[in-house]
């Protein structure tokens, strides 16, 4: 299965494509505005204007969300090893998908 995530260039959240119109780069107007302000703030700094700059707090939160997703994946693996029921696996799988989806965002 090969799918590509179309994600907002500012916040990283998934962009839901509307079937008409050109490809969107931001999930919402406020993200477009924040990205514009960010590009302006980088002028003259030598930092490429397409850089993804996260605060230490945002980076730590991103790492925390991925860690939660990894723990949920390990829970699924453990449950399989221990012969969990389909119902238990279904619940663990659902939790994993939700955490992984939350981990996609940058901010
Ligand atoms: Zn966004």
């Amino acid at each position: 299965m090969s799918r590509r995530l179309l994600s907002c260039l500012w916040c990283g959240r998934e962009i839901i494509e509307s079937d008409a119109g050109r490809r969107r780069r931001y999930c919402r107007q406020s993200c477009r505005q924040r990205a514009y302000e960010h590009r302006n703030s980088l002028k003259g700094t030598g930092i490429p204007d397409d850089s993804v700059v996260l605060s230490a707090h945002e980076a730590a939160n991103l790492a925390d969300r991925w860690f939660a997703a990894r723990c949920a994946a390990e829970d699924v693996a453990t449950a399989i090893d221990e012969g969990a029921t389909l119902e238990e696996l279904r619940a663990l799988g659902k939790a994993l998908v939700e955490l992984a989806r939350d981990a996609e965002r940058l901010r």
Side-chain angles (χ1 to χ4, degrees), residues 8-13 26-28 31:
C8 175
L9 291 179
W10 177 255
C11 73
R13 285 177 180 79
Y26 303 98
C27 68
R28 65 192 101 176
C31 286

Side-chain angles (χ1 to χ4, degrees), residues 40-106:
N40 279 340
S41 74
L42 292 178
K43 276 183 183 148
T45 65
I47 300 171
D49 69 3
D50 63 349
S51 296
V52 176
V53 179
L54 297 177
S55 69
H57 181 69
E58 288 167 340
N61 283 344
L62 179 59
D64 284 349
R65 290 195 301 277
W66 273 115
F67 181 66
R70 193 245 284 186
C71 291
E74 289 171 349
D75 287 347
V76 171
T78 301
I80 291 169
D81 285 345
E82 293 176 350
T85 65
L86 184 57
E87 194 179 338
E88 290 166 330
L89 291 174
R90 191 172 281 138
L92 289 171
K94 188 166 181 276
L96 172 57
V97 168
E98 282 168 12
L99 287 168
R101 184 178 294 280
D102 191 42
E104 287 169 356
R105 67 184 165 91
L106 296 171

